[in-house]
Amino acid sequence: ICLFLCIICVSVLALGLTLNALDLGVEEEFEELVTDKSFMLDSSLFTHEYSRDTYTTPTEDELNALGVSLTEDGFEKIITNENFELWYSSEYHPIRIVNKQTGYVWASDFDIPVEAGEDIIPELKSPFYFTYYREGASTDVKIKSVEDRGVEVETEWDDDTLTYEISVERSSDGVKIKLAFKFEVTLTDAGIEVNLPNNSIKETNCKFGTINLFRYLGSVKGDSVNGYIVVPSGNGGLVRYVKNATTTQSFQTSFYGTDMNYSKTDSSKLFQFPMFGMVHGIGANACLVNIDSGDSFATFNYYPGTSGTQNRQLSYMQFSLRNAYEVELNDVDIPRVPDERYTSDIKYSYTFLSGDDA
């Protein structure tokens, strides 16, 4: 059988070489097809027709007018370089980054809808959302805003870095709880870098749980922006900004899957790279987010536009310094919170892009 197959293969190869050597004139019936190969990019990106936005570099007067509008919103320009400006507001402590090339503003807050209640405003504008566990408890306590009970925020800045120092002091069942940490926002030539050093975390009678910073940065209301979120799922996925999302379910997944030290079942959802991106205007503005440290305990979060997020679509990272888990004893699952936490610094960057890079 092997000999027979070898004879067939040799015969086919010989026939192919013979036909190739002959001038059959077949190519005379065809002409070369010349195409703009950019259609390959467009067809893989868009199953819907999308128009590419254009922009022009803002004039000095336009940038000055933008600065006036930011000042009217209660912001002050605290750091600047050749490419970007960092603006900060002492009320609720949000930030905004102005791209000098395009005049586009990336905001960690946004204009609050008229119908939003006064009680929701601090949560929407605050730069953090974190949790902790009381000593001996397995249910987390949420800190949603700078106005939560016992929360103090201090800020300072120098030529390139804005530093936040956060402290929480409160009593629970007669036990005094203290929690403190700091994080830094550094303005770079590419955008901003966020750093939360592990050694800045101080815990007394409590355990730090999860934290996310600036979760509304880059959020979009409905289809008010022509663009999408990029997620590193498989070969890559896009979540388009739409007026009415087909689902109201949020989406969370660890970048490298479940930590099996704390989970009985492995996650069927995981990403390939510790990054994601947001496009605001095709060919106009975009933001690439990369995790440099802390990715092993980071989770990507996506929320469609619902009433709970003031109809804004969110994409952000959450870091779990501790994971609650369960120990089975006599067929009963007992919830536990580990004493040790992940000790890597949390570091990630926002690279703001424009034009073809976007």
Side-chain angles (χ1 to χ4, degrees):
I1 293 176
C2 293
L3 179 61
F4 178 71
L5 292 176
C6 289
I7 292 173
I8 292 178
C9 290
V10 171
S11 300
V12 172
L13 178 62
L15 178 62
L17 293 173
T18 302
L19 291 175
N20 189 54
L22 295 176
D23 182 8
L24 300 180
V26 175
E27 67 274 9
E28 295 178 0
E29 300 177 11
F30 297 87
E31 60 183 40
E32 183 179 1
L33 178 63
V34 179
T35 66
D36 175 8
K37 292 186 178 181
S38 67
F39 82 94
M40 298 175 65
L41 178 65
D42 290 340
S43 64
S44 64
L45 278 175
F46 314 122
T47 55
H48 304 257
E49 183 177 355
Y50 266 71
S51 61
R52 286 183 173 268
D53 294 342
T54 59
Y55 72 91
T56 56
T57 302
T59 65
E60 184 175 352
D61 289 341
E62 289 172 333
L63 282 176
N64 289 337
L66 176 60
V68 170
S69 66
L70 286 169
T71 302
E72 291 174 348
D73 288 343
F75 285 79
E76 60 176 314
K77 181 169 60 177
I78 61 172
I79 303 172
T80 185
N81 60 28
E82 185 176 349
N83 299 325
F84 302 100
E85 296 174 351
L86 179 62
W87 292 69
Y88 162 78
S89 173
S90 59
E91 184 180 21
Y92 307 120
H93 309 285
I95 60 171
R96 295 183 183 178
I97 301 96
V98 177
N99 186 329
K100 290 184 177 180
Q101 296 181 22
T102 64
Y104 196 75
V105 179
W106 295 89
S108 73
D109 69 332
F110 55 90
D111 294 331
I112 306 298
V114 175
E115 63 273 15
E118 289 292 326
D119 57 331
I120 197 69
I121 294 177
E123 180 180 339
L124 300 179
K125 288 183 173 289
S126 294
F128 53 70
Y129 186 121
F130 62 92
T131 67
Y132 70 88
Y133 299 89
R134 291 186 293 108
E135 194 67 50
S138 58
T139 302
D140 63 358
V141 179
K142 297 175 176 59
I143 302 292
K144 299 180 179 181
S145 83
V146 299
E147 292 195 346
D148 280 9
R149 178 172 60 90
V151 176
E152 296 289 339
V153 181
E154 294 185 3
T155 57
E156 62 179 8
W157 55 86
D158 55 24
D159 291 340
D160 62 0
T161 300
L162 167 64
T163 301
Y164 291 81
E165 293 193 8
I166 316 299
S167 62
V168 180
E169 186 171 335
R170 52 171 64 172
S171 294
S172 178
D173 296 330
V175 177
K176 179 171 285 190
I177 292 171
K178 291 184 179 181
L179 177 66
F181 64 94
K182 76 173 184 178
F183 65 93
E184 302 164 336
V185 180
T186 300
L187 189 68
T188 70
D189 290 338
I192 61 172
E193 294 178 351
V194 180
N195 177 31
L196 194 163
N198 173 70
N199 61 13
S200 74
I201 298 174
K202 310 299 180 185
E203 304 162 308
T204 302
N205 297 323
C206 65
K207 300 175 182 178
F208 209 142
T210 63
I211 185 167
N212 59 70
L213 303 171
F214 305 118
R215 66 177 183 150
Y216 279 94
L217 181 58
S219 67
V220 169
K221 182 176 181 180
D223 58 354
S224 59
V225 169
N226 172 26
Y228 47 84
I229 299 166
V230 182
V231 293
S233 175
N235 292 333
L238 305 180
V239 182
R240 305 177 195 285
Y241 298 129
V242 294
K243 185 174 184 179
N244 296 305
T246 57
T247 178
T248 59
Q249 296 296 315
S250 60
F251 174 84
Q252 298 91 24
T253 187
S254 302
F255 284 97
Y256 303 132
T258 302
D259 187 339
M260 296 302 290
N261 284 302
Y262 301 108
S263 177
K264 295 180 180 179
T265 57
D266 194 10
S267 172
S268 60
K269 301 179 295 183
L270 71 158
F271 284 169
Q272 309 299 319
F273 308 101
M275 55 75 67
F276 68 95
M278 297 167 278
V279 171
H280 288 194
I282 311 302
N285 295 284
C287 173
L288 176 64
V289 186
N290 286 283
I291 309 180
D292 300 311
S293 177
D295 47 333
S296 60
F297 51 93
T299 299
F300 172 80
N301 290 256
Y302 166 73
Y303 281 79
T306 63
S307 58
T309 62
Q310 299 300 310
N311 298 318
R312 300 186 75 85
Q313 298 174 73
L314 311 184
S315 56
Y316 63 91
M317 291 174 299
Q318 179 169 288
F319 297 88
S320 300
L321 283 81
R322 284 186 176 88
N323 290 291
Y325 65 101
E326 294 179 339
V327 175
E328 187 174 321
L329 181 63
N330 295 331
D331 297 326
V332 176
D333 291 331
I334 302 176
R336 298 290 301 276
V337 177
D339 292 329
E340 301 297 326
R341 66 171 185 265
Y342 293 112
T343 56
S344 298
D345 294 344
I346 295 174
K347 294 182 180 179
Y348 57 100
S349 62
Y350 292 83
T351 300
F352 300 114
L353 306 168
S354 57
D356 289 340
D357 291 337

